[in-house]
Amino acid sequence: MGKFVIRNTKTGVKFDLKAGNGEVIATSEVYASQAACKNGVESVRKNAPVAAVEDQTVEGFAVEKHPKFEIYTDKAGEFRFRLKATNGQIIAVSEGYKAMAGCKNGIESVKKNAPEAAVVVEEAQ
């Protein structure tokens, strides 16, 4: 079972969505407050299961409506995804994947884990 781990950073609050095996499958932006971060978690829960997948690595790709997962290639040539909410804001991003299959598995993992994931708030060390 996945979980959202909310933690403080030097500049604010962010969350990681972790799969059952503890691997981070998606990360948020840095929010100004814990309340805003929790709203981000709720947005991922709501949008991920219904989001379409837009593969921007293919020439002439079909543009999907929001919410959507966008697959793209980063500067290092790795595949990444970002989840955008219905308003077009990015609410979660992935790590880099060497293979497209890994990236797509990451998206499926977010879709599967996010809706039921527990929320854990890490206390400052």
Side-chain angles (χ1 to χ4, degrees):
M1 185 70 149
K3 65 181 176 184
F4 286 97
V5 179
I6 294 176
R7 60 188 167 84
N8 291 314
T9 67
K10 288 187 175 92
T11 55
V13 187
K14 65 184 289 191
F15 68 77
D16 290 327
L17 173 57
K18 295 187 176 185
N21 63 4
E23 287 281 309
V24 174
I25 46 181
T27 302
S28 73
E29 64 178 352
V30 176
Y31 293 94
S33 68
Q34 195 176 100
C37 189
K38 286 182 175 174
N39 286 343
V41 167
E42 288 310 312
S43 187
V44 172
R45 279 193 168 142
K46 189 178 86 192
N47 289 294
V50 297
V53 177
E54 179 179 290
D55 186 351
Q56 298 180 348
T57 65
V58 199
E59 209 173 306
F61 64 87
V63 175
E64 301 289 345
K65 285 192 176 81
H66 295 104
K68 65 182 172 182
F69 285 94
E70 294 177 342
I71 298 174
Y72 64 100
T73 316
D74 66 14
K75 289 187 184 92
E78 293 187 324
F79 297 102
R80 291 179 180 263
F81 66 79
R82 57 187 158 233
L83 173 59
K84 288 189 170 181
T86 44
N87 63 4
Q89 281 197 303
I90 297 171
I91 50 176
V93 296
S94 74
E95 62 186 11
Y97 293 93
K98 298 261 184 259
M100 174 63 85
C103 188
K104 287 184 173 174
N105 286 345
I107 290 171
E108 287 310 310
S109 187
V110 172
K111 284 181 174 239
K112 189 178 86 195
N113 285 292
E116 302 297 319
V119 176
V120 179
V121 178
E122 274 187 2
E123 295 305 318
Q125 301 300 323

